Amino acid sequence: FFVFLSTADLPPPMVELDEPAPPAGEAAAPKEDRKTSRIIVKNLCRAATPEILKRRFSEYGQLTDVKIATTKDGVSRRFAFLGYASEDSATRARKGVHNTYIMTNKVQVDFAREIGSKEIPRGWSKYTEGTSAFQKRVQKDAAKVETTKKGKAGKVDKADAKTAREEKQRLKEVLKRKKEEAALEAGLDDMAFLKAKVSTDADGEDDGDQGHAAEEEAHEGRVLLQNVPFASSEGDVKALAENHGPVVEVHLPTDEDTSQSRGFVFVTFAFLKDAEKAARHGW
């Protein structure tokens, strides 16, 4: 058989009502079953100190610790964790300070949650892992590090290039003096040595500078003076050589072990003609 019922005979439907939204500008009050003995205080003034927080919150019970979160540079992140000896003290502090002013800022107080808890609101700070602001900060810091590395690499490359040029010039000078000493040991007279020296220097220049080197060699000349007294100094030789013309350089080779004169000296004249005159007519 069939039974017909009207809607008037049915019980009213069960409707699950949402909790009323908190007033604009205020944080929602925590549910009673979320109580802990630790609270978090947000939106602190950057000038707030642990001593100021202790004075404000100690009236609600015995505090165990106060910690203001800071960046690695010691700058306040504008929130703090406070621990109480009991959950009741934390509850009184939450109700007594939430949405009140500490110094110049209106603060929000809530019960602290364990790290990784799903009850923690979504973060927004650039210091909180997982937020978009945090990812942007990480990328920006990485870009700064890369730029710094490139800058340092550029400085190192320039320093290496300068060192290489200096080393090349030093080796060039050593090679030149070795050839001059070899010419001395071969027993060349002053004029022969001068001609050999001019030829060697011109050959030692880079291809791109040959014209310039030839022009310079036409103005300067170096002469070898042998049988120089061991007590003579470069100053003594220079004073003697200047009788033939302006002197650019005097080089008196010494023994590597004893640092004593080796008995000969190289004199560079400003003009080739003065060097030739000194080689021909003697000292």
Side-chain angles (χ1 to χ4, degrees):
F1 62 94
F2 298 94
V3 177
F4 297 93
L5 297 177
S6 67
T7 55
D9 298 323
L10 297 176
M14 301 295 292
V15 179
E16 183 177 354
L17 299 177
D18 294 333
E19 294 183 0
E26 294 189 6
K31 294 182 180 180
E32 293 300 323
D33 58 353
R34 298 178 185 175
K35 291 181 181 179
T36 67
S37 62
R38 295 185 64 79
I39 60 175
I40 179 172
V41 184
K42 305 175 184 178
N43 197 38
L44 288 170
C45 176
R46 290 195 186 278
T49 63
E51 289 71 24
I52 292 176
L53 298 182
K54 286 178 182 178
R55 287 198 297 268
R56 181 63 181 273
F57 286 90
S58 59
E59 62 181 281
Y60 299 101
Q62 179 183 355
L63 288 169
T64 58
D65 63 283
V66 177
K67 179 178 177 59
I68 296 178
T70 61
T71 66
K72 62 180 180 180
D73 299 323
V75 179
S76 172
R77 294 179 59 186
R78 302 180 60 190
F79 67 90
F81 294 99
L82 291 85
Y84 280 97
S86 67
E87 292 183 1
D88 291 339
S89 297
T91 301
R92 289 195 298 270
R94 192 261 177 247
K95 292 181 178 179
V97 186
H98 181 63
N99 281 333
T100 64
Y101 284 85
I102 296 180
M103 300 179 70
T104 60
N105 286 25
K106 188 176 184 179
V107 301
Q108 289 79 47
V109 183
D110 200 353
F111 293 107
R113 306 298 173 201
E114 294 182 2
I115 297 177
S117 172
K118 294 181 179 180
E119 297 179 354
I120 299 177
R122 183 179 183 276
W124 55 267
S125 172
K126 65 180 180 180
Y127 302 104
T128 303
E129 290 189 32
T131 64
S132 58
F134 178 83
Q135 295 298 329
K136 290 180 180 179
R137 184 176 72 89
V138 170
Q139 294 174 0
K140 185 176 180 180
D141 291 345
K144 286 183 179 179
V145 171
E146 187 66 23
T147 302
T148 302
K149 287 182 178 180
K150 289 181 179 179
K152 289 182 177 180
K155 291 180 180 179
V156 171
D157 291 343
K158 291 180 180 179
D160 290 345
K162 182 179 179 181
T163 302
R165 288 195 300 270
E166 292 176 349
E167 181 65 13
K168 182 178 179 180
Q169 183 63 28
R170 188 187 69 81
L171 293 176
K172 191 174 180 180
E173 292 294 330
V174 170
L175 179 60
K176 182 188 293 185
R177 292 188 178 179
K178 290 291 184 181
K179 289 182 178 180
E180 291 171 352
E181 292 178 8
L184 172 63
E185 294 176 357
L188 298 179
D189 56 23
D190 290 351
M191 182 56 67
F193 170 78
L194 178 62
K195 291 180 180 180
K197 191 268 176 189
V198 171
S199 176
T200 300
D201 286 350
D203 292 341
E205 297 293 338
D206 293 337
D207 293 342
D209 297 333
Q210 285 183 354
H212 180 65
E215 181 181 352
E216 286 189 349
E217 290 299 336
H219 290 282
E220 292 185 359
R222 178 175 287 189
V223 175
L224 168 65
L225 179 61
Q226 304 183 64
N227 299 323
V228 177
F230 293 110
S232 299
S233 65
E234 291 183 350
D236 297 334
V237 176
K238 183 177 181 180
L240 181 63
E242 285 178 342
N243 293 327
H244 298 285
V247 175
V248 175
E249 180 187 23
V250 175
H251 173 56
L252 184 66
T254 58
D255 186 271
E256 295 181 358
D257 297 327
T258 63
S259 298
Q260 290 184 346
S261 171
R262 296 178 62 182
F264 59 92
V265 64
F266 298 100
V267 180
T268 302
F269 287 91
F271 302 101
L272 180 59
K273 61 179 182 178
D274 294 332
E276 293 176 345
K277 181 172 63 175
R280 288 194 186 96
H281 301 293
W283 303 81

mmCIF file of all heavy atoms in Angstrom, residues 213-242:
data_model
loop_
_atom_site.group_PDB
_atom_site.id
_atom_site.type_symbol
_atom_site.label_atom_id
_atom_site.label_comp_id
_atom_site.label_asym_id
_atom_site.label_seq_id
_atom_site.Cartn_x
_atom_site.Cartn_y
_atom_site.Cartn_z
ATOM 1 N N ALA A 213 110.809 50.082 -32.440
ATOM 2 C CA ALA A 213 112.047 49.641 -31.788
ATOM 3 C C ALA A 213 113.259 50.146 -32.551
ATOM 4 O O ALA A 213 114.254 50.586 -31.956
ATOM 5 C CB ALA A 213 112.064 48.105 -31.706
ATOM 6 N N ALA A 214 113.220 50.083 -33.863
ATOM 7 C CA ALA A 214 114.362 50.559 -34.655
ATOM 8 C C ALA A 214 114.596 52.043 -34.436
ATOM 9 O O ALA A 214 115.737 52.512 -34.361
ATOM 10 C CB ALA A 214 114.093 50.276 -36.137
ATOM 11 N N GLU A 215 113.503 52.785 -34.294
ATOM 12 C CA GLU A 215 113.644 54.223 -34.060
ATOM 13 C C GLU A 215 114.298 54.491 -32.707
ATOM 14 O O GLU A 215 115.162 55.359 -32.576
ATOM 15 C CB GLU A 215 112.252 54.868 -34.108
ATOM 16 C CG GLU A 215 112.291 56.383 -33.905
ATOM 17 C CD GLU A 215 110.917 56.985 -33.940
ATOM 18 O OE1 GLU A 215 109.962 56.254 -34.266
ATOM 19 O OE2 GLU A 215 110.802 58.184 -33.641
ATOM 20 N N GLU A 216 113.888 53.710 -31.687
ATOM 21 C CA GLU A 216 114.474 53.906 -30.369
ATOM 22 C C GLU A 216 115.959 53.532 -30.368
ATOM 23 O O GLU A 216 116.785 54.223 -29.766
ATOM 24 C CB GLU A 216 113.724 53.061 -29.336
ATOM 25 C CG GLU A 216 112.359 53.616 -28.984
ATOM 26 C CD GLU A 216 111.752 52.879 -27.803
ATOM 27 O OE1 GLU A 216 112.331 51.828 -27.433
ATOM 28 O OE2 GLU A 216 110.738 53.338 -27.290
ATOM 29 N N GLU A 217 116.300 52.420 -31.014
ATOM 30 C CA GLU A 217 117.694 51.986 -31.027
ATOM 31 C C GLU A 217 118.571 52.985 -31.773
ATOM 32 O O GLU A 217 119.773 53.042 -31.554
ATOM 33 C CB GLU A 217 117.784 50.597 -31.683
ATOM 34 C CG GLU A 217 117.180 49.482 -30.855
ATOM 35 C CD GLU A 217 117.873 49.314 -29.515
ATOM 36 O OE1 GLU A 217 119.050 49.714 -29.390
ATOM 37 O OE2 GLU A 217 117.235 48.810 -28.584
ATOM 38 N N ALA A 218 117.999 53.756 -32.647
ATOM 39 C CA ALA A 218 118.798 54.760 -33.359
ATOM 40 C C ALA A 218 119.188 55.896 -32.431
ATOM 41 O O ALA A 218 120.098 56.670 -32.742
ATOM 42 C CB ALA A 218 117.996 55.302 -34.535
ATOM 43 N N HIS A 219 118.527 55.986 -31.293
ATOM 44 C CA HIS A 219 118.817 57.074 -30.355
ATOM 45 C C HIS A 219 119.591 56.609 -29.132
ATOM 46 O O HIS A 219 120.200 57.427 -28.460
ATOM 47 C CB HIS A 219 117.506 57.719 -29.900
ATOM 48 C CG HIS A 219 116.823 58.502 -30.988
ATOM 49 N ND1 HIS A 219 117.219 59.759 -31.373
ATOM 50 C CD2 HIS A 219 115.788 58.178 -31.793
ATOM 51 C CE1 HIS A 219 116.448 60.201 -32.343
ATOM 52 N NE2 HIS A 219 115.565 59.251 -32.635
ATOM 53 N N GLU A 220 119.536 55.332 -28.794
ATOM 54 C CA GLU A 220 120.237 54.840 -27.615
ATOM 55 C C GLU A 220 121.300 53.823 -28.008
ATOM 56 O O GLU A 220 121.198 53.178 -29.050
ATOM 57 C CB GLU A 220 119.251 54.189 -26.636
ATOM 58 C CG GLU A 220 118.291 55.167 -25.992
ATOM 59 C CD GLU A 220 117.430 54.484 -24.945
ATOM 60 O OE1 GLU A 220 117.597 53.252 -24.755
ATOM 61 O OE2 GLU A 220 116.596 55.161 -24.320
ATOM 62 N N GLY A 221 122.304 53.703 -27.139
ATOM 63 C CA GLY A 221 123.347 52.716 -27.379
ATOM 64 C C GLY A 221 123.940 52.253 -26.064
ATOM 65 O O GLY A 221 124.096 53.046 -25.131
ATOM 66 N N ARG A 222 124.263 50.976 -25.975
ATOM 67 C CA ARG A 222 124.833 50.417 -24.751
ATOM 68 C C ARG A 222 126.251 49.946 -25.021
ATOM 69 O O ARG A 222 126.537 49.320 -26.044
ATOM 70 C CB ARG A 222 123.970 49.263 -24.246
ATOM 71 C CG ARG A 222 124.537 48.589 -23.001
ATOM 72 C CD ARG A 222 123.626 47.530 -22.452
ATOM 73 N NE ARG A 222 122.461 48.103 -21.795
ATOM 74 C CZ ARG A 222 121.589 47.397 -21.076
ATOM 75 N NH1 ARG A 222 121.748 46.087 -20.964
ATOM 76 N NH2 ARG A 222 120.571 47.985 -20.503
ATOM 77 N N VAL A 223 127.122 50.213 -24.047
ATOM 78 C CA VAL A 223 128.543 49.886 -24.169
ATOM 79 C C VAL A 223 128.958 49.020 -22.993
ATOM 80 O O VAL A 223 128.501 49.228 -21.867
ATOM 81 C CB VAL A 223 129.405 51.170 -24.209
ATOM 82 C CG1 VAL A 223 130.880 50.826 -24.219
ATOM 83 C CG2 VAL A 223 129.061 52.004 -25.434
ATOM 84 N N LEU A 224 129.839 48.052 -23.283
ATOM 85 C CA LEU A 224 130.399 47.189 -22.250
ATOM 86 C C LEU A 224 131.768 47.712 -21.839
ATOM 87 O O LEU A 224 132.641 47.936 -22.690
ATOM 88 C CB LEU A 224 130.527 45.758 -22.780
ATOM 89 C CG LEU A 224 131.359 44.799 -21.924
ATOM 90 C CD1 LEU A 224 130.699 44.553 -20.580
ATOM 91 C CD2 LEU A 224 131.575 43.481 -22.674
ATOM 92 N N LEU A 225 131.968 47.908 -20.547
ATOM 93 C CA LEU A 225 133.254 48.351 -20.001
ATOM 94 C C LEU A 225 133.810 47.225 -19.140
ATOM 95 O O LEU A 225 133.198 46.815 -18.165
ATOM 96 C CB LEU A 225 133.073 49.628 -19.171
ATOM 97 C CG LEU A 225 134.343 50.185 -18.531
ATOM 98 C CD1 LEU A 225 135.374 50.547 -19.597
ATOM 99 C CD2 LEU A 225 134.027 51.400 -17.674
ATOM 100 N N GLN A 226 135.012 46.721 -19.508
ATOM 101 C CA GLN A 226 135.616 45.599 -18.801
ATOM 102 C C GLN A 226 136.756 46.067 -17.894
ATOM 103 O O GLN A 226 137.179 47.214 -17.937
ATOM 104 C CB GLN A 226 136.164 44.586 -19.816
ATOM 105 C CG GLN A 226 135.109 44.094 -20.799
ATOM 106 C CD GLN A 226 135.645 43.046 -21.736
ATOM 107 O OE1 GLN A 226 136.019 41.959 -21.319
ATOM 108 N NE2 GLN A 226 135.690 43.374 -23.023
ATOM 109 N N ASN A 227 137.224 45.106 -17.087
ATOM 110 C CA ASN A 227 138.336 45.361 -16.153
ATOM 111 C C ASN A 227 138.029 46.529 -15.219
ATOM 112 O O ASN A 227 138.881 47.371 -14.920
ATOM 113 C CB ASN A 227 139.639 45.635 -16.914
ATOM 114 C CG ASN A 227 140.055 44.449 -17.766
ATOM 115 O OD1 ASN A 227 139.887 43.288 -17.366
ATOM 116 N ND2 ASN A 227 140.584 44.721 -18.956
ATOM 117 N N VAL A 228 136.793 46.578 -14.744
ATOM 118 C CA VAL A 228 136.399 47.628 -13.803
ATOM 119 C C VAL A 228 136.834 47.218 -12.400
ATOM 120 O O VAL A 228 136.618 46.075 -11.984
ATOM 121 C CB VAL A 228 134.865 47.819 -13.842
ATOM 122 C CG1 VAL A 228 134.426 48.854 -12.816
ATOM 123 C CG2 VAL A 228 134.438 48.236 -15.240
ATOM 124 N N PRO A 229 137.491 48.103 -11.632
ATOM 125 C CA PRO A 229 137.902 47.772 -10.255
ATOM 126 C C PRO A 229 136.698 47.302 -9.434
ATOM 127 O O PRO A 229 135.596 47.838 -9.551
ATOM 128 C CB PRO A 229 138.456 49.096 -9.729
ATOM 129 C CG PRO A 229 138.908 49.832 -10.950
ATOM 130 C CD PRO A 229 137.932 49.462 -12.024
ATOM 131 N N PHE A 230 136.902 46.289 -8.610
ATOM 132 C CA PHE A 230 135.809 45.716 -7.828
ATOM 133 C C PHE A 230 135.216 46.727 -6.850
ATOM 134 O O PHE A 230 134.060 46.602 -6.450
ATOM 135 C CB PHE A 230 136.296 44.475 -7.063
ATOM 136 C CG PHE A 230 136.648 43.328 -7.965
ATOM 137 C CD1 PHE A 230 137.972 42.923 -8.128
ATOM 138 C CD2 PHE A 230 135.658 42.649 -8.652
ATOM 139 C CE1 PHE A 230 138.295 41.866 -8.967
ATOM 140 C CE2 PHE A 230 135.986 41.589 -9.496
ATOM 141 C CZ PHE A 230 137.309 41.196 -9.665
ATOM 142 N N ALA A 231 136.005 47.731 -6.457
ATOM 143 C CA ALA A 231 135.519 48.715 -5.499
ATOM 144 C C ALA A 231 134.676 49.799 -6.167
ATOM 145 O O ALA A 231 134.078 50.634 -5.477
ATOM 146 C CB ALA A 231 136.691 49.361 -4.759
ATOM 147 N N SER A 232 134.624 49.804 -7.492
ATOM 148 C CA SER A 232 133.881 50.851 -8.198
ATOM 149 C C SER A 232 132.373 50.642 -8.034
ATOM 150 O O SER A 232 131.882 49.512 -7.961
ATOM 151 C CB SER A 232 134.233 50.855 -9.690
ATOM 152 O OG SER A 232 135.617 51.120 -9.861
ATOM 153 N N SER A 233 131.666 51.774 -8.009
ATOM 154 C CA SER A 233 130.204 51.731 -7.904
ATOM 155 C C SER A 233 129.591 52.205 -9.222
ATOM 156 O O SER A 233 130.301 52.731 -10.095
ATOM 157 C CB SER A 233 129.731 52.620 -6.754
ATOM 158 O OG SER A 233 130.022 53.978 -7.035
ATOM 159 N N GLU A 234 128.286 52.032 -9.349
ATOM 160 C CA GLU A 234 127.602 52.495 -10.553
ATOM 161 C C GLU A 234 127.708 54.008 -10.688
ATOM 162 O O GLU A 234 127.797 54.543 -11.794
ATOM 163 C CB GLU A 234 126.130 52.055 -10.513
ATOM 164 C CG GLU A 234 125.937 50.562 -10.665
ATOM 165 C CD GLU A 234 124.473 50.162 -10.696
ATOM 166 O OE1 GLU A 234 123.619 51.037 -10.402
ATOM 167 O OE2 GLU A 234 124.160 48.993 -11.024
ATOM 168 N N GLY A 235 127.732 54.699 -9.541
ATOM 169 C CA GLY A 235 127.875 56.152 -9.580
ATOM 170 C C GLY A 235 129.222 56.578 -10.129
ATOM 171 O O GLY A 235 129.317 57.558 -10.895
ATOM 172 N N ASP A 236 130.280 55.845 -9.749
ATOM 173 C CA ASP A 236 131.622 56.165 -10.257
ATOM 174 C C ASP A 236 131.680 55.986 -11.769
ATOM 175 O O ASP A 236 132.233 56.829 -12.495
ATOM 176 C CB ASP A 236 132.662 55.257 -9.585
ATOM 177 C CG ASP A 236 132.738 55.482 -8.081
ATOM 178 O OD1 ASP A 236 132.407 56.607 -7.645
ATOM 179 O OD2 ASP A 236 133.093 54.538 -7.355
ATOM 180 N N VAL A 237 131.117 54.870 -12.248
ATOM 181 C CA VAL A 237 131.145 54.598 -13.684
ATOM 182 C C VAL A 237 130.323 55.634 -14.441
ATOM 183 O O VAL A 237 130.722 56.109 -15.516
ATOM 184 C CB VAL A 237 130.610 53.176 -13.955
ATOM 185 C CG1 VAL A 237 130.536 52.913 -15.453
ATOM 186 C CG2 VAL A 237 131.497 52.137 -13.270
ATOM 187 N N LYS A 238 129.186 56.029 -13.891
ATOM 188 C CA LYS A 238 128.335 57.009 -14.559
ATOM 189 C C LYS A 238 129.049 58.351 -14.701
ATOM 190 O O LYS A 238 128.970 59.008 -15.751
ATOM 191 C CB LYS A 238 127.031 57.185 -13.788
ATOM 192 C CG LYS A 238 126.058 58.147 -14.460
ATOM 193 C CD LYS A 238 124.734 58.225 -13.692
ATOM 194 C CE LYS A 238 123.765 59.162 -14.392
ATOM 195 N NZ LYS A 238 122.476 59.268 -13.669
ATOM 196 N N ALA A 239 129.730 58.765 -13.640
ATOM 197 C CA ALA A 239 130.449 60.046 -13.696
ATOM 198 C C ALA A 239 131.526 60.018 -14.780
ATOM 199 O O ALA A 239 131.742 61.017 -15.492
ATOM 200 C CB ALA A 239 131.065 60.340 -12.331
ATOM 201 N N LEU A 240 132.170 58.847 -14.946
ATOM 202 C CA LEU A 240 133.212 58.722 -15.964
ATOM 203 C C LEU A 240 132.598 58.677 -17.364
ATOM 204 O O LEU A 240 133.105 59.317 -18.303
ATOM 205 C CB LEU A 240 134.029 57.449 -15.708
ATOM 206 C CG LEU A 240 135.184 57.162 -16.668
ATOM 207 C CD1 LEU A 240 136.237 58.274 -16.576
ATOM 208 C CD2 LEU A 240 135.818 55.811 -16.357
ATOM 209 N N ALA A 241 131.496 57.955 -17.505
ATOM 210 C CA ALA A 241 130.878 57.797 -18.816
ATOM 211 C C ALA A 241 130.263 59.089 -19.321
ATOM 212 O O ALA A 241 130.198 59.315 -20.536
ATOM 213 C CB ALA A 241 129.808 56.698 -18.755
ATOM 214 N N GLU A 242 129.825 59.954 -18.451
ATOM 215 C CA GLU A 242 129.185 61.201 -18.865
ATOM 216 C C GLU A 242 130.156 62.140 -19.577
ATOM 217 O O GLU A 242 129.724 63.159 -20.139
ATOM 218 C CB GLU A 242 128.542 61.891 -17.653
ATOM 219 C CG GLU A 242 127.256 61.203 -17.203
ATOM 220 C CD GLU A 242 126.641 61.850 -15.973
ATOM 221 O OE1 GLU A 242 127.370 62.599 -15.270
ATOM 222 O OE2 GLU A 242 125.452 61.610 -15.697
#
